[in-house]
Amino acid sequence: MNSRKVVGFCNLHTSPKIGGLNEKRALGAVTFLGRFAIMDFTLSNFSNSGIDGVCILVHHFPHSVLGHVESGDVWTANTKTGFEYTFFNEFGVNDPESNTDINNILANLGSLKKVKDRAEYVVIAPVHYLTSMDFRPIIDQHIEKNSKVTCVYVPIHDGKTNFTKSTLVNLNDDGSVKSFKLNNKAKDEINVSLETFVITGDVFADLVLRAQTIDKTFSIADMISYMIKNENLKVDTYRFEHYVIPIMSLDEYVNNSFSLLKFENRRKLFRHDWPIYTRTHDTPPAYYGPHSSVKDSIISNGCKIYGKVEHSILSRNVVVNKGANLSNCIVFTDSIIGPGVKIKHVVTDKNVLIEKDMEGKEEKPLFLKTGSKV
């Protein structure tokens, strides 16, 4: 892959807001399944595909991304020749409308020389679609067809109830993109854009530079749509038929997290030959007290369990005190559940202390912000 000079862009600009979880952090930095950050999947897909030149396009809250990726060595297969840059457009803070992925790239032109030298092909991927995606066959097809742009999509059969906030791909007879549109929940059989593109290097450079002369608020996806409609750009497609988890709302975050408590679903997302890398933490194994009970749950390192946990997901260093009872909960790092407390259908952010009984609803769990004490 390195001989092809491929650069990956991990695009956080397209990330949706999901309840309170990314009000003060980038969606990519949000904890998932107690151990990972959401962006780990995209970064690991780049690494496993042999793409060791990566740029992370941060929309807002860069501290949360930098705090997670640090040097980036976890996801860089070859630390001698590879790189991982984090791009942030400081000017966009005061002008949210123009805080786009394209303007982020333009604001960091001084850091792009190394990228430009390697960018015969560019892969752009978001973080809010969790999957194990090998980019190599997609790039192979892109090269074989001499494509300018390739869009990756997944066909689904329950579009009225699933991927309801996603963008759909309308196809021409030859399989190229006719247009994009939002899912209006009218059909079950739909093709969902994964907002993942392979773009030939010179086409990408032209697209980014010309966007300023057309509309300064255009994103990369906007520019591709514009060029399809107004310049007859042919955008080829790649049909991806593997397991994909959308994270576009708090409901999807919660429901899809719980769906992975089932082994058969975890095996679809976590392939044995496709590791998902994350930061390591020097935490001890979880401790289970003599009267603890844990069923159908994911318990992370550093947790101390003295009570009962059922159908729940606990991040690192969570303490469940004696007599406490958790069910259908997602609890983030360093939170404490007091003695004898019963909570059900609750989602907590980090450093939360719960000392009284709480119960949300299955369709609408209670959410507690970072540092809450109740």
Side-chain angles (χ1 to χ4, degrees):
M1 182 65 74
N2 289 337
S3 63
R4 291 177 178 168
K5 296 184 178 179
V6 179
V7 173
F9 282 84
C10 178
N11 194 356
L12 276 68
H13 280 266
T14 57
S15 301
K17 290 186 177 180
I18 56 169
L21 286 178
N22 61 333
E23 284 184 357
K24 295 184 178 180
R25 63 165 75 91
L27 179 64
V30 171
T31 300
F32 188 71
L33 290 186
R35 177 186 178 192
F36 302 95
I38 286 175
M39 66 191 302
D40 290 343
F41 291 83
T42 300
L43 295 177
S44 296
N45 290 339
F46 284 143
S47 180
N48 291 330
S49 300
I51 301 172
D52 62 357
V54 173
C55 300
I56 303 173
L57 302 178
V58 181
H59 181 222
H60 50 201
F61 306 125
H63 64 278
S64 62
V65 176
L66 292 168
H68 179 66
V69 301
E70 294 183 331
S71 67
D73 288 352
V74 172
W75 301 274
T76 305
N78 189 331
T79 55
K80 295 288 187 181
T81 60
F83 59 84
E84 187 166 283
Y85 298 147
T86 300
F87 287 177
F88 180 66
N89 179 13
E90 294 182 2
F91 303 105
V93 174
N94 297 319
D95 188 8
E97 193 173 81
S98 65
N99 189 13
T100 66
D101 44 16
I102 287 178
N103 287 325
N104 192 345
I105 293 168
L106 292 172
N108 287 276
L109 285 176
S111 302
L112 281 174
K113 184 179 185 304
K114 195 170 183 179
V115 176
K116 184 179 178 182
D117 291 344
R118 297 180 56 156
E120 290 183 356
Y121 304 98
V122 169
V123 178
I124 300 163
V127 299
H128 53 271
Y129 291 121
L130 275 53
T131 188
S132 292
M133 181 181 292
D134 188 346
F135 293 112
R136 290 171 295 190
I138 306 171
I139 296 168
D140 287 343
Q141 177 193 287
H142 181 87
I143 294 172
E144 290 167 6
K145 296 180 70 171
N146 196 28
S147 301
K148 294 181 177 180
V149 180
T150 298
C151 172
V152 183
Y153 74 91
V154 59
I156 67 168
H157 312 290
D158 54 355
K160 292 180 181 179
T161 57
N162 202 9
F163 290 85
T164 56
K165 296 179 182 289
S166 295
T167 298
L168 309 185
V169 182
N170 293 323
L171 300 177
N172 292 310
D173 292 339
D174 64 354
S176 62
V177 176
K178 183 177 182 180
S179 62
F180 298 99
K181 69 174 184 179
L182 292 176
N183 185 2
N184 61 9
K185 298 180 277 189
K187 297 180 180 179
D188 278 324
E189 303 291 328
I190 57 175
N191 297 317
V192 176
S193 168
L194 295 181
E195 301 176 33
T196 298
F197 300 95
V198 178
I199 306 177
T200 300
D202 57 352
V203 175
F204 178 72
D206 176 70
L207 179 155
V208 167
L209 294 173
R210 285 203 305 118
Q212 292 289 291
T213 66
I214 298 170
D215 191 325
K216 291 185 178 181
T217 67
F218 267 9
S219 66
I220 293 170
D222 291 334
M223 193 62 185
I224 291 172
S225 294
Y226 175 88
M227 294 171 72
I228 291 172
K229 182 178 180 180
N230 296 284
E231 300 177 6
N232 296 316
L233 172 69
K234 184 180 180 182
V235 175
D236 290 312
T237 59
Y238 183 92
R239 183 183 175 102
F240 185 74
E241 298 192 68
H242 298 280
Y243 195 58
V244 179
I245 292 177
I247 304 292
M248 301 189 72
S249 67
L250 183 60
D251 287 345
E252 284 186 338
Y253 175 86
V254 172
N255 294 334
N256 288 323
S257 294
F258 284 144
S259 75
L260 292 171
L261 292 177
K262 294 182 178 179
F263 177 76
E264 59 268 27
N265 290 336
R266 290 200 303 277
R267 291 301 297 165
K268 294 176 186 176
L269 181 62
F270 296 96
R271 292 166 27 190
H272 71 277
D273 61 341
W274 201 260
I276 303 300
Y277 305 104
T278 191
R279 276 183 60 196
T280 57
H281 295 259
D282 293 328
T283 49
Y287 172 78
Y288 300 89
H291 303 292
S292 63
S293 173
V294 177
K295 296 179 181 178
D296 189 30
S297 297
I298 293 175
I299 309 295
S300 301
N301 286 354
C303 288
K304 296 178 181 178
I305 313 297
Y306 302 97
K308 181 179 180 180
V309 181
E310 186 170 359
H311 197 71
S312 295
I313 300 169
L314 275 56
S315 297
R316 294 179 178 88
N317 301 322
V318 170
V319 178
V320 179
N321 279 289
K322 184 178 179 180
N325 189 327
L326 280 70
S327 64
N328 299 280
C329 294
I330 298 176
V331 182
F332 278 21
T333 301
D334 294 324
S335 294
I336 299 173
I337 314 302
V341 171
K342 295 177 174 58
I343 63 172
K344 186 175 184 179
H345 300 302
V346 174
V347 177
T348 85
D349 211 315
K350 298 179 179 181
N351 299 295
V352 168
L353 172 63
I354 302 179
E355 296 183 299
K356 67 178 184 180
D357 295 352
M358 304 188 71
E359 183 171 346
K361 297 180 180 179
E362 183 176 0
E363 64 276 10
K364 191 175 182 180
L366 291 175
F367 176 75
L368 301 178
K369 294 183 178 181
T370 298
S372 297
K373 296 181 180 181
V374 293

